[in-house]
Amino acid sequence: MVLHRAVAARALACLDLTDLSDACDAAAVEALCTRAATRHGPVAAVCLWPRFVAQARGILGPNSAIRIATVVNFPSGDGTIAGTEAEARAAVAAGADEVDVVIPYRALMAGNGGAVDATVAAVRAACPTALIKTILESGVLADDGLIAEASRRAIAAGADMLKTSTGKVAVNATPEAVATMLRAIREAGRPIGLKAAGGIGTTAVAGRYLALADDAMGPSWAKPATFRFGASGLLDDLLAVLDGRPTGRPATGY
């Protein structure tokens, strides 16, 4: 039980508490920001649609330990480079600290890897002070070689973190995809983080991903600066473990 609580505490500190549901509204944003400051400490970030960034900044304040993340080119990855760049720039101007950008993964699958390079580089240039997480949509890429290529291209174009998934497709984070992404991170030659997102709803599942990171990168690597969970339902299970209450809620996506 002590070990289980230690895992929950690690995961809580690395959590991007997320509401990217179609039903998200101002009341939901206020509730999410309130929940993010838990009795066991703050989560790493809240992750919201761009239209709610300014509201979240107003609730959390300018110097909050809880960061504000948003998404661009989301969820399809099919937006124009100019549109994605403008969306990212506007989000940071509204108060976002972190930008999760979906790469044009369908273009990559069709053989146009340069589209990934150009999209990530444009967002990086538009938002030089923001943390840039690149969403690979690994469950759709599926192939280990494509996931590895997407990882290498995103890193080369300026990404700060690799993220598995939007949480909006049938297959989201998997241990196999995360292992491939961790290999690319290990070979990057500069510090790169990882965000596992979609389908992570229990402390036990979160613990498996932390163990993968520990094995690949060392036991002190997975911390908020380098490792995140993207989830909407994980927080309840983590708090139950930390409180010593019964758990076992099934995993969900966003």
Side-chain angles (χ1 to χ4, degrees):
M1 178 60 76
V2 173
L3 180 59
H4 208 43
R5 284 181 176 172
V7 169
R10 286 183 73 189
L12 175 67
C14 295
L15 178 61
D16 284 5
L17 184 60
T18 300
D19 190 343
L20 296 172
S21 66
D22 294 338
C24 186
D25 58 14
V29 171
E30 184 169 0
L32 195 79
C33 291
T34 300
R35 292 183 69 225
T38 84
R39 55 190 171 275
H40 294 285
V43 303
V46 292
C47 186
L48 302 154
W49 294 106
R51 63 185 179 272
F52 296 120
V53 165
Q55 181 193 353
R57 177 54 68 203
I59 294 168
L60 293 173
N63 301 308
S64 175
I66 301 166
R67 294 169 68 84
I68 297 173
T70 194
V71 291
V72 299
N73 205 22
F74 187 95
S76 71
D78 293 333
T80 66
I81 291 174
T84 300
E85 179 183 2
E87 192 178 21
R89 194 189 303 273
V92 172
D97 303 297
E98 305 178 1
V99 177
D100 294 21
V101 54
V102 183
I103 67 166
Y105 59 89
R106 292 185 184 89
L108 176 66
M109 295 170 75
N112 183 11
V116 177
D117 307 344
T119 298
V120 177
V123 174
R124 173 78 283 165
C127 308
T129 62
L131 185 79
I132 305 300
K133 311 189 198 93
T134 49
I135 306 174
L136 308 187
E137 204 66 291
S138 57
V140 176
L141 293 179
D143 178 75
D144 181 76
L146 278 176
I147 295 169
E149 180 183 356
S151 299
R152 291 192 298 268
R153 286 183 176 277
I155 291 168
D160 298 306
M161 279 192 174
L162 304 177
K163 177 177 172 181
T164 58
S165 322
T166 60
K168 300 289 189 178
V169 295
V171 178
N172 292 288
T174 65
E176 294 79 10
V178 166
T180 298
M181 293 160 70
L182 286 168
R183 283 195 295 272
I185 288 169
R186 197 168 57 239
E187 296 164 1
R190 67 180 178 89
I192 301 291
L194 184 139
K195 179 174 174 178
I200 302 168
T202 67
T203 305
V205 173
R208 293 182 199 124
Y209 286 103
L210 287 170
L212 271 176
D214 290 347
D215 288 344
M217 306 299 294
S220 63
W221 180 80
K223 51 186 179 292
T226 52
F227 191 90
R228 300 286 181 85
F229 291 108
S232 59
L234 178 58
L235 181 60
D236 289 340
D237 196 81
L238 297 177
L239 293 176
V241 170
L242 290 166
D243 288 343
R245 294 183 281 111
T247 65
R249 208 182 53 73
T252 63
Y254 285 157

